Amino acid sequence: MTRVLLAGLCTLDILQLVEEYPAENEKVTARAQTVAAGGPATNAAATVAHLGGEPVLVTAAGRHPLAAGLHADLDRLGVHLVDLAADDAGAPPVSSIVVSAGTGNRTVVSTNGAARMLAVPDLGPLLSGVEAVQVDGHYPELATAVLTEARRRGIPALLDAGSWKPVIPSLLPLLDVVVCSADFRPPGVTGVAAFLAGHGVRWIAVSRGAEPLLRWTGDGFVEQPVPRTEVVDTLGAGDVLHGALTLAVARHWPLTDATFAEALDEAAAVATRSCASFGTRAWMSTSPLEGVRSGTEGTDQ
């Protein structure tokens, strides 16, 4: 079984599916709701487990009662959780997410865990047998330590570059693969690929939702089509992409242009499948509604 380590954010995600976004001071009844562990590294770890890999998630959950749900969800999925905040009684970061049934788009209000200061553990035992690592840029000290040790051991390293974070320039020389979203914009930079390559990153791609991926060849971008689906919910699709890609890179390493393209195809197919159902877990089930509770069974509004 391919073992990968993912380091970064873990949140409690509360999702509501609505016909239309509520107006200010308006109450609406959700069509469905679900609660799950979330965050870029966490959703990526869940994806790795579903695809038959062995994920180790290094993050902060804590011992607040709400964190029990995070532990239970990840344990059920087969994710090995290394909780660096095991003695912290504070509440975990919570994301409140409203998804439009009409478009599949979502509105997210969340905290990012920045208030927690984590002590970086001895990474030697955690990286034993690991074939790839991924960081999401949250908890900068942890990300830096993981990438530094991975580079020392010759383990391929990936970054989920969904958005710009101040720590990223110091991480780039330690990275092998960076897939960034179309919203990833380094300050004052117009050419993202040249910026990343100039910091030593060899394998680069840009995800653009339903539009083709842009894959960097070293000389320029080529378009790589992604599968089509009827979109129900795009939440977590980028995290799924990165989780599937991390596992694929581990299995294809060392990369060539051909195997990088193949790894991106594999990851894009999984991410597309995740958009066809509500929430970040239902796509993993044979039943598209597993883990989703009808919103009509709630408090009278």
Side-chain angles (χ1 to χ4, degrees), residues 47 51 179 213 226-227 237-238 240-248 260-274:
T47 301
L51 296 177
V179 175
L213 289 160
V226 299
V240 171
L241 176 76
H242 286 91
L245 181 64
T246 299
L247 185 60
F260 183 44
E262 185 177 345
L264 285 171
D265 278 340
E266 293 173 12
V270 179
T272 296
R273 181 153 51 95
S274 75

Side-chain angles (χ1 to χ4, degrees), residues 33-295:
Q33 74 172 30
T34 186
V35 180
T42 300
N43 286 329
T47 301
V48 169
H50 178 69
L51 296 177
E54 184 182 349
V56 177
L57 174 63
V58 185
T59 186
R63 60 182 179 85
H64 187 279
L66 288 177
L70 302 179
H71 285 267
D73 187 36
L74 295 171
D75 183 66
R76 176 181 64 85
L77 293 168
V79 174
H80 176 57
L81 173 62
V82 178
D83 185 4
L84 302 184
D87 295 327
D88 190 335
V94 176
S95 292
S96 302
I97 303 150
V98 179
V99 179
S100 167
T103 64
N105 293 328
R106 78 281 190 205
T107 298
V108 181
V109 179
S110 67
T111 54
N112 62 12
R116 271 182 166 152
M117 300 298 294
L118 303 183
V120 178
D122 179 4
L123 294 172
L126 294 180
L127 286 170
S128 178
V130 165
E131 297 180 57
V133 302
Q134 179 203 306
V135 301
D136 62 15
H138 294 279
Y139 306 121
E141 295 83 1
L142 174 62
T144 301
V146 167
L147 295 180
T148 299
E149 184 62 16
R151 176 56 56 94
R152 190 182 73 81
R153 292 170 176 253
I155 301 171
L158 298 85
L159 171 69
D160 176 347
S163 61
W164 177 258
K165 298 176 181 66
V167 71
I168 286 178
S170 65
L171 302 182
L172 292 179
L174 302 169
L175 290 160
D176 299 289
V177 181
V178 174
V179 175
C180 53
S181 73
D183 295 328
F184 179 82
R185 296 185 180 90
V189 172
T190 55
V192 171
F195 172 78
L196 296 175
H199 282 80
V201 182
R202 171 59 184 90
W203 307 104
I204 301 165
V206 179
S207 63
R208 303 184 296 164
E211 297 300 312
L213 289 160
L214 297 178
R215 176 171 54 84
W216 180 251
T217 65
D219 297 318
F221 279 119
V222 296
E223 289 193 348
Q224 194 158 325
V226 299
R228 296 287 180 177
T229 191
E230 183 177 348
V231 174
V232 174
D233 181 7
T234 60
L235 181 72
D239 307 338
V240 171
L241 176 76
H242 286 91
L245 181 64
T246 299
L247 185 60
V249 167
R251 290 171 172 170
H252 287 291
W253 192 259
L255 294 176
T256 65
D257 283 336
T259 56
F260 183 44
E262 185 177 345
L264 285 171
D265 278 340
E266 293 173 12
V270 179
T272 296
R273 181 153 51 95
S274 75
C275 295
S277 55
F278 171 59
T280 56
R281 298 288 184 266
W283 69 274
M284 300 178 180
S285 172
T286 54
S287 168
L289 294 180
E290 183 172 319
V292 177
R293 180 172 67 82
S294 170

